[in-house]
Amino acid sequence: MNSKKISPKKRVQEYLIITFAALIYGVGTSLLVDPNNLAPGGMTGLAIVLNRLVGIGTGMWFLLLNIPILIIAIWKFGIRFTISTIYATAMISVFTDLCTKFFGQYVIHDMILAVTFGSAMTAVAIGLIFKCHATSGGTDVIIKLLRLRYPHLKVGVLYILTDMVVLCIAAVVFHDLAAALYSFLAVMVVSAVVDYVLYGKDGAKLIYIISDRPDIITARLLDELDIGATHVFGQGAYSGEKKKVIMCAVKKRLSPMAEDIVREEDPNAFMIISSASEIFGEGYKSYFDERM
């Protein structure tokens, strides 16, 4: 959830970007991923599998699968959190089926191209949607809900588990182990490209947080994200007030979640986020091993 007020002009820009991203997603799915029996995890993969079992368009299945999830998300998180996600989900569904209907003659039946370009297109779309404070629904919402119920579970593990379940289902339905393995490669491509779109080449983020609620924020960072944090004691140059500054290094995938925690607990907190190209120590690289 983002506590920051967004201007109407900025909001319109975000919805235009979401629309463009949904179009990219629809083209990649309908012309490359779907025709080659790739089921790259998440709701898209499950929609492709169901399309083979019941003759409803992949885009429509994507929307139908997301409806109950989005209803629960509205109930749990409120309409402000989910409205842009609902729009993104609807647009992905519409563009996927429209592209299948009107551009079906341009379908590319090539596994390598499907895994690389198809997955990259959907990943770029997902990254753009994330940048606009929305998600593509499905797995992202499910994992957020699971984290409420089981906060000790790691986010990365949950993503892997949900994707693996879809891949196993696809292997059984398609009777094609090769397609399932290609789908696994597609999941890896999507993960790598989404990270690049969102965070660039940086390996991790170094975050400094100056807040009036440092202890609560620190407790949530430790408990929910399972990351380390250090308190640095400083003093305001103008006010002379002593402050407890939180310093933490986080892997780039967890950075948005750390930012959300800070915004939820203290919308007026001061954050400095910088790129950390290398981090040595527990949970990261071993200095000795790297120099071997």
Side-chain angles (χ1 to χ4, degrees), residues 51-273:
N51 169 256
R52 303 303 190 271
L53 296 175
V54 181
I56 298 176
T58 299
M60 180 56 67
W61 268 122
F62 181 81
L63 181 61
L64 292 175
L65 289 169
N66 273 289
I67 287 174
I69 296 171
L70 292 173
I71 291 173
I72 296 173
I74 292 171
W75 172 48
K76 286 287 187 180
F77 308 124
I79 190 65
R80 288 184 61 190
F81 170 77
T82 51
I83 188 68
S84 53
T85 292
I86 293 171
Y87 179 78
T89 302
M91 288 297 97
I92 288 172
S93 173
V94 169
F95 283 127
T96 299
D97 282 349
L98 284 179
C99 289
T100 301
K101 181 178 180 180
F102 293 106
F103 303 106
Q105 67 269 30
Y106 300 111
V107 162
I108 299 174
H109 292 286
D110 185 300
M111 277 294 192
I112 301 301
L113 291 177
V115 169
T116 53
F117 287 95
S119 301
M121 290 175 71
T122 57
V124 168
I126 291 171
L128 290 174
I129 291 171
F130 280 175
K131 279 180 172 288
C132 295
H133 308 100
T135 74
S136 56
T139 304
D140 301 314
V141 177
I142 290 173
I143 288 175
K144 190 171 181 67
L145 290 168
L146 286 173
R147 287 280 297 168
L148 288 177
R149 184 70 176 83
Y150 305 103
H152 60 283
L153 294 178
K154 303 287 180 61
V155 173
V157 173
L158 291 174
Y159 272 109
I160 291 172
L161 288 176
T162 53
D163 286 340
M164 289 303 104
V165 169
V166 174
L167 292 181
C168 290
I169 294 172
V172 172
V173 171
F174 295 149
H175 303 291
D176 188 347
L177 182 58
L181 293 176
Y182 275 116
S183 296
F184 177 77
L185 291 178
V187 170
M188 298 298 103
V189 172
V190 169
S191 176
V193 176
V194 167
D195 276 354
Y196 187 83
V197 172
L198 288 175
Y199 313 114
K201 297 182 291 184
D202 303 318
K205 299 290 183 179
L206 178 62
I207 304 178
Y208 289 93
I209 305 163
I210 303 173
S211 168
D212 292 329
R213 309 186 71 191
D215 294 327
I216 295 175
I217 292 173
T218 301
R220 288 192 61 184
L221 291 173
L222 295 174
D223 182 52
E224 297 179 24
L225 302 185
D226 193 28
I227 61 175
T230 300
H231 285 158
V232 180
F233 293 91
Q235 185 174 15
Y238 177 76
S239 66
E241 183 181 357
K242 293 184 178 180
K243 288 279 188 179
K244 187 186 291 184
V245 181
I246 305 167
M247 181 186 74
C248 59
V250 300
K251 293 179 179 177
K252 54 188 177 181
R253 183 181 292 275
L254 298 178
S255 179
M257 300 172 197
E259 294 172 38
D260 284 343
I261 288 173
V262 175
R263 291 190 184 101
E264 289 167 14
E265 294 298 337
D266 184 2
N268 297 316
F270 188 79
M271 277 193 293
I272 302 172
I273 304 174

Side-chain angles (χ1 to χ4, degrees), residues 9-83:
K9 181 180 178 181
K10 177 67 173 177
R11 179 61 72 187
V12 170
Q13 290 175 344
E14 288 186 346
Y15 273 86
L16 288 174
I17 293 172
I18 290 173
T19 304
F20 176 67
L23 175 60
I24 296 174
Y25 196 113
V27 171
T29 300
S30 61
L31 302 186
L32 287 159
V33 176
D34 191 355
N36 289 285
N37 286 342
L38 292 178
M43 290 300 109
T44 301
L46 194 55
I48 291 171
V49 171
L50 290 172
N51 169 256
R52 303 303 190 271
L53 296 175
V54 181
I56 298 176
T58 299
M60 180 56 67
W61 268 122
F62 181 81
L63 181 61
L64 292 175
L65 289 169
N66 273 289
I67 287 174
I69 296 171
L70 292 173
I71 291 173
I72 296 173
I74 292 171
W75 172 48
K76 286 287 187 180
F77 308 124
I79 190 65
R80 288 184 61 190
F81 170 77
T82 51
I83 188 68

